[in-house]
Amino acid sequence: MGKSIFIVLLFSLAGIISNGQQLKSKSGLDFPRPVCYASDKIERTFIPPSESFLLKSGEPKSNIEVNYISFPTEARIAFEHAVGIWESIIESDVTIRMVALWSDDLEDKVLGSCGPETYYANFPNAPYDNVFYAVALAEKIANKELNGDSRYDIVANFSSKINWYFGIDGGSSDDQYDFVSVVLHEIAHGLGFTGFFFVNNTIGGYGYFNSGDIASFDQLIVNSSGTQLLDPTEYPIYSRALGDALQSERLYAHSPVAMNANNGYRPRLYAPAEYDGGSSIYHLNESTYPAGTPNSLMTYAIGRSEAIHDPGPLTQGIMEDIGWSSLTIHFDPPKDKEIVQPIVFNASFESDYALDSSALYVIYSTDGFQSQSDTLKLVSGSEDGMFSATLVPDENTNIITYYVEANDVKNRIKYSPSLAPNEYHQVKFGPDTEQPVISHTPINYFLNNGNSLELTAEVDDNLGIDTVYVEYWINTVLQPAFGLTLKEGDTYSAEFPFNLETLNDGDSIYYKIYAVDSSAARNMVQHPETGEILSFNVEGVFEPVNQYITDFNSQTPDFLIFDFDIYTANNFENGALHSPHPYPNPGVDNEDYNFSTLLKHPIIINESGTMTYDEVVLVEPGGYDDYNLFQLWDYVIVEGSKDLGETWLPLVDGYDSGDNALWEQSYNSSFSDMDSRAIGKSEWFKPREISLLQNENFEVGDTILLRFRLYSDPYATGWGWAIDNLSIQQPLSAGITGLSEDDVKIYPNPFNNIINLQLNSDESIDELKLEVFNLFGQVVYSLEERSIFGYLNKEIDLSQLGSGIFLVKLSESGKQVYSKKLIKN
């Protein structure tokens, strides 16, 4: 369900459930999205954009895509101007997706509100462990999508009740508010100018998914003496001391970049004596940076006729220090040694500002920093960008504890490990008895589509790795072992040396991974460590076909059976293709599962390009999130691939139980906690017809694989998906029925318990389906017959039905040929 935060405070606060959904076993701490208030003051000021923006010098440094909901045209033009200003300032190789809603339900005096759609911690390249970053910022740092193309990164609301000025020249009148200024302000919040602090009844706290979670902005907040508000010795979480500090009117951002532009002074934050959840802390102080001054954009309110089209040096400095500008240490810690010997430290650095090469250090201690420490200076080596230092320990040394420190010309300091000096690296000396550690995600299956299969494992050892290799079998035949090569960090990988031409569909591969360290003892470990062995099956890609049909009434090698399976489930009369029942969810915020199967016969798309199947879909229906945006949560989707499974494109948009009233009603009929306990029934099958061409991702003549996929988010789950009677591109003649209505007789009418079905046709009938519906449109009886040669006389028992009016329909090869109302006495 929705991705909102839930209030479960640890000190007698009542739980408040928003219109989203709470993650099971997760508690969160709620904080409002920052807002920009309307001041009644007439300010008559204009801060223009930077000269470089006005001159359009240089390409945009980022790309912000905006989806406008109910926006007037003139508002969009102003919005794009503001977007262009931010694109000229922040750098990211990942597209930032934003949705902007034109809203009539914001509170009076609120010009707009905005925030990140979600936050991420511990992603690739994260500067600090366990620190949350706004998703757009996290994606910039990780250099990849984190929340997927189907979700926004920034969500903003703008009031439709305000008298706006939509020009881009700062020329608003005395009764108007400058729209460009407010958009610039709100985008800053969406990019991470916000955090997790709050006050409730004088008690201060912080948290996101869990209490104690912190945002990257929160690390900067200090009191007037420079003490962090995250310092638990000074400000325990859930304390009056923290609450007082958050309402002290004396809070600052310890942002080195901003301070460098501010004569060494920390930017002052807005911390009024009465905490305001929409404006406190995550704005600059209004009285310190009044209207008309360069740093006035991010104050909590904007006045009439006040136009600020440049974020200002302090806002930009804070943005850089929350992560938009980086100082990164690349350091591979030396391994332990069996004898005392010199230690060489090598590090390289990446910085958006010049390094202070005179302030790059290794700070070390031989007693765990209990009583002494020393410093080695890292100096530029022969390799470009590499800095080195050598430590010659005393021969009686048992352990060296150390960390790396780097400084740049903006006085920013970074450490390795990131939380030093509270955390350290270490090198130990002495005989080694520790085994290597292997971490490996088992291979589920190998789709033999002509591409090789790579095996990857994370292998680490305190002293160092000598050898990593794989022992494997094809079916029961042992193959020559092959070695893994170190790629990066602790990652080892290699391709299985298969002869792809001799592998067959259904072959089984068994394997174990071994690692030997570089110690004198040659410590070795195997994975799995017990007598278990890992295995997966080879799945072949068969010859392309023009059409395909199956009723799933028997097992078939035509489908990849791993997540899905073919069987007759409880409450079903015949076999079908089933997802897991119920389907799992990951139970971890910002993670998801995908369950899929594919047809191993590629389909050559013809001009009709039609696929039909019957299905039951009991997956979590979508809904409206806290931003009043409708979104799918769990869903099912059918996708195609032109490159044998390397990339997939949708044939149709995803859908869920909300696609059919019966499914949605059934899903909602029974719950345990947040999970639906409804179990699918064959009576709930509904037909679906899909054009392979309708999304314009494929065209006539393409040869594609077809995949059925169920997506599960971290939250509620249900029974899942069942698929039956799959028919793909049956010949045109299949749509021409041999039956006519005159060839069909169903009698008697009215009836008691038995009806008779009689067919008499000159044509053979490939597939016949009879369905009986009640007045609610529900299928209460169905019958399928195949390969009928002209004549059929069948007695049908409907004694299980109560008295009433029913509709009987007869279809030949998917096309209806007969319908009639029946009355049961």
Side-chain angles (χ1 to χ4, degrees):
M1 291 180 71
K3 308 302 179 277
S4 60
I5 309 301
F6 276 68
I7 307 171
V8 187
L9 300 186
L10 304 184
F11 42 86
S12 70
L13 292 183
I16 302 173
I17 297 181
S18 70
N19 61 350
Q21 163 194 12
Q22 181 183 5
L23 174 59
K24 290 177 294 185
S25 77
K26 289 281 186 181
S27 60
L29 300 165
D30 188 65
F31 46 91
R33 294 187 301 277
V35 301
C36 182
Y37 284 110
S39 167
D40 288 329
K41 293 181 180 179
I42 299 173
E43 302 292 359
R44 295 180 187 159
T45 60
F46 180 39
I47 305 296
S50 68
E51 185 175 343
S52 62
F53 173 78
L54 292 172
L55 295 175
K56 304 298 182 186
S57 57
E59 293 294 321
K61 299 176 182 178
S62 56
N63 178 40
I64 301 175
E65 292 182 354
V66 185
N67 181 23
Y68 297 99
I69 308 295
S70 303
F71 256 62
T73 300
E74 62 267 35
R76 296 189 185 196
I77 295 172
F79 204 108
E80 288 299 324
H81 184 72
V83 164
I85 293 172
W86 272 119
E87 287 177 332
S88 73
I89 296 171
I90 62 167
E91 294 189 42
S92 180
D93 292 331
V94 182
T95 295
I96 300 167
R97 295 179 307 280
M98 179 177 184
V99 62
L101 297 94
W102 197 246
S103 176
D104 62 1
D105 59 2
L106 292 178
E107 295 180 5
D108 292 340
K109 299 292 186 180
V110 172
L111 298 170
S113 69
C114 184
E117 189 267 351
T118 190
Y119 297 81
Y120 284 87
N122 303 320
F123 49 86
N125 305 320
Y128 295 96
D129 295 338
N130 305 317
V131 174
F132 283 84
Y133 294 78
V135 56
L137 175 53
E139 289 178 342
K140 174 259 193 325
I141 297 170
N143 199 30
K144 68 175 185 177
E145 278 289 343
L146 294 176
N147 64 342
D149 292 336
S150 63
R151 287 166 62 182
Y152 297 108
D153 302 320
I154 300 173
V155 182
N157 287 265
F158 296 89
S159 177
S160 63
K161 299 179 290 186
I162 298 297
N163 183 18
W164 292 109
Y165 177 70
F166 293 120
I168 63 174
D169 59 356
S172 57
S173 64
D174 288 353
D175 62 348
Q176 291 178 310
Y177 291 91
D178 186 73
F179 191 62
V180 170
S181 302
V182 177
V183 175
L184 279 173
H185 178 109
E186 297 303 341
I187 290 177
H189 289 309
L191 293 171
F193 203 98
T194 186
F196 302 158
F197 278 110
F198 66 88
V199 174
N200 185 274
N201 293 330
T202 74
I203 302 299
Y206 46 91
Y208 181 54
F209 288 131
N210 298 285
S211 64
D213 288 343
I214 61 172
S216 58
F217 193 120
D218 297 331
Q219 294 179 292
L220 306 183
I221 302 174
V222 297
N223 64 16
S224 56
S225 62
T227 301
Q228 278 188 304
L229 263 63
L230 296 174
D231 184 343
T233 61
E234 187 81 15
Y235 300 114
I237 189 171
Y238 309 131
S239 67
R240 178 65 179 268
L242 182 55
D244 289 345
L246 291 167
Q247 300 172 106
S248 66
E249 301 184 348
R250 288 292 184 271
L251 290 183
Y252 303 85
H254 186 81
S255 165
V257 178
M259 293 162 64
N260 190 270
N262 199 36
N263 296 317
Y265 293 103
R266 301 183 182 100
R268 185 177 172 187
L269 301 176
Y270 181 62
E274 183 176 349
Y275 189 86
D276 185 318
S279 58
S280 288
I281 311 306
Y282 304 110
H283 288 93
L284 297 180
N285 191 60
E286 182 84 17
S287 61
T288 311
Y289 313 106
T293 58
N295 295 299
S296 55
L297 177 70
M298 291 310 293
T299 59
Y300 83 98
I302 289 178
R304 302 178 192 273
S305 194
E306 181 181 4
I308 321 108
H309 292 190
D310 188 282
L314 300 191
T315 293
Q316 290 188 57
I318 290 172
M319 294 289 282
E320 292 191 52
D321 281 326
I322 65 174
W324 285 102
S325 175
S326 64
L327 167 57
T328 304
I329 300 174
H330 298 286
F331 176 66
D332 191 9
K335 298 292 187 179
D336 292 346
K337 313 291 182 183
E338 291 193 280
I339 60 173
V340 177
Q341 57 183 279
I343 305 169
V344 178
F345 302 97
N346 292 309
S348 62
F349 307 90
E350 287 184 51
S351 179
D352 291 317
Y353 293 103
L355 285 171
D356 181 353
S357 58
S358 66
L360 306 175
Y361 306 111
V362 175
I363 295 107
Y364 69 96
S365 171
T366 57
D367 67 355
F369 292 96
Q370 296 299 309
S371 61
Q372 59 90 88
S373 65
D374 292 286
T375 299
L376 288 173
K377 185 176 179 181
L378 289 159
V379 296
S380 181
S382 57
E383 293 186 46
D384 288 344
M386 188 64 68
F387 292 78
S388 301
T390 300
L391 172 64
V392 181
D394 182 271
E395 63 181 8
N396 296 318
T397 303
N398 294 315
I399 188 170
I400 299 290
T401 306
Y402 67 95
Y403 60 90
V404 178
E405 178 183 315
N407 295 254
D408 68 14
V409 296
K410 296 289 185 178
N411 298 316
R412 294 186 299 176
I413 304 175
K414 282 293 178 70
Y415 301 102
S416 176
S418 63
L419 296 182
N422 297 316
E423 291 183 357
Y424 312 104
H425 298 299
Q426 64 180 21
V427 177
K428 294 186 293 184
F429 301 98
D432 178 51
T433 59
E434 294 184 32
Q435 290 183 328
V437 176
I438 301 174
S439 176
H440 168 68
T441 301
I443 298 167
N444 294 331
Y445 57 84
F446 172 46
L447 185 65
N448 189 5
N449 58 6
N451 294 324
S452 58
L453 175 63
E454 186 172 54
L455 184 149
T456 299
E458 303 295 321
V459 187
D460 192 17
D461 184 72
N462 65 304
L463 200 70
I465 295 296
D466 180 81
T467 306
V468 182
Y469 66 95
V470 176
E471 190 176 67
Y472 77 107
W473 296 255
I474 300 178
N475 298 318
T476 58
V477 179
L478 179 64
Q479 307 294 312
F482 65 95
L484 302 185
T485 302
L486 180 64
K487 299 298 182 182
E488 184 179 6
D490 297 325
T491 301
Y492 288 75
S493 67
E495 295 176 354
F496 274 93
F498 295 139
N499 182 344
L500 299 181
E501 295 181 358
T502 62
L503 284 182
N504 298 307
D505 180 65
D507 281 348
S508 295
I509 310 297
Y510 303 90
Y511 69 101
K512 294 180 78 74
I513 305 171
Y514 296 83
V516 181
D517 73 12
S518 55
S519 69
R522 305 283 291 174
N523 299 305
M524 185 176 76
V525 68
Q526 64 181 13
H527 179 82
E529 293 186 13
T530 64
E532 299 175 7
I533 193 166
L534 301 172
S535 67
F536 59 91
N537 286 338
V538 175
E539 302 284 351
V541 176
F542 302 155
E543 290 298 314
V545 295
N546 292 294
Q547 66 236 11
Y548 183 83
I549 188 169
T550 182
D551 60 8
F552 296 107
N553 285 339
S554 59
Q555 286 287 338
T556 171
D558 294 346
F559 284 82
L560 194 158
I561 300 301
F562 184 78
D563 295 329
F564 282 60
D565 202 356
I566 298 171
Y567 62 98
T568 301
N570 292 336
N571 298 333
F572 287 77
E573 299 174 358
N574 301 298
L577 180 65
H578 290 273
S579 75
H581 298 318
Y583 60 90
N585 72 47
V588 177
D589 292 287
N590 286 332
E591 292 190 12
D592 50 35
Y593 286 158
N594 285 279
F595 306 97
S596 65
T597 184
L598 60 85
L599 174 62
K600 295 191 286 187
H601 282 288
I603 301 295
I604 304 169
I605 300 178
N606 63 30
E607 291 182 356
S608 69
T610 300
M611 174 170 65
T612 63
Y613 52 90
D614 299 325
E615 64 181 338
V616 178
V617 179
L618 296 184
V619 304
E620 179 193 17
Y624 290 90
D625 62 15
D626 284 348
Y627 306 103
N628 202 33
L629 289 172
F630 183 84
Q631 62 177 20
L632 290 173
W633 291 324
D634 296 348
Y635 61 84
V636 299
I637 192 168
V638 185
E639 299 164 311
S641 172
K642 290 192 290 188
D643 53 14
L644 294 177
E646 293 298 307
T647 57
W648 294 91
L649 297 170
L651 295 172
V652 292
D653 295 337
Y655 54 95
D656 58 24
S657 292
D659 197 65
N660 180 276
L662 174 61
W663 295 339
E664 187 167 25
Q665 179 184 9
S666 302
Y667 181 95
N668 292 325
S669 64
S670 175
F671 277 92
S672 174
D673 196 2
M674 296 187 305
D675 298 334
S676 171
R677 297 304 182 193
I679 298 175
K681 301 178 182 180
S682 58
E683 291 86 356
W684 297 345
F685 269 123
K686 297 295 177 184
R688 183 170 297 275
E689 181 174 316
I690 291 175
S691 168
L692 306 182
L693 304 168
Q694 71 185 61
N695 262 19
E696 299 184 352
N697 288 322
F698 307 103
E699 56 187 30
V700 174
D702 284 345
T703 299
I704 65 171
L705 285 176
L706 293 174
R707 177 170 78 171
F708 300 86
R709 177 169 63 90
L710 188 158
Y711 170 86
S712 173
D713 71 10
Y715 305 89
T717 66
W719 178 78
W721 195 12
I723 299 165
D724 202 2
N725 301 319
L726 175 64
S727 177
I728 304 171
Q729 295 190 154
Q730 285 301 291
L732 293 176
S733 59
I736 303 173
T737 62
L739 282 175
S740 69
E741 192 165 341
D742 293 337
D743 298 329
V744 180
K745 290 184 180 179
I746 297 178
Y747 63 93
N749 189 21
F751 71 99
N752 292 320
N753 292 315
I754 305 295
I755 61 172
N756 294 283
L757 167 63
Q758 189 177 93
L759 306 180
N760 193 352
S761 173
D762 294 333
E763 304 287 340
S764 62
I765 301 165
D766 292 333
E767 179 184 343
L768 185 76
K769 186 172 185 178
L770 179 142
E771 294 177 295
V772 179
F773 298 83
N774 62 20
L775 289 178
F776 298 101
Q778 298 169 318
V779 178
V780 294
Y781 178 85
S782 65
L783 168 73
E784 294 184 26
E785 296 283 342
R786 294 181 182 273
S787 302
I788 302 168
F789 298 100
Y791 181 79
L792 176 70
N793 194 352
K794 191 171 187 69
E795 192 176 83
I796 299 172
D797 185 355
L798 298 178
S799 59
Q800 77 276 17
L801 303 181
S803 60
I805 300 174
F806 298 88
L807 178 67
V808 61
K809 291 183 180 180
L810 199 67
S811 301
E812 179 187 348
S813 299
K815 183 175 181 180
Q816 182 177 312
V817 295
Y818 179 92
S819 67
K820 185 176 183 179
K821 288 184 179 178
L822 297 178
I823 300 174
K824 183 179 181 186
N825 294 322

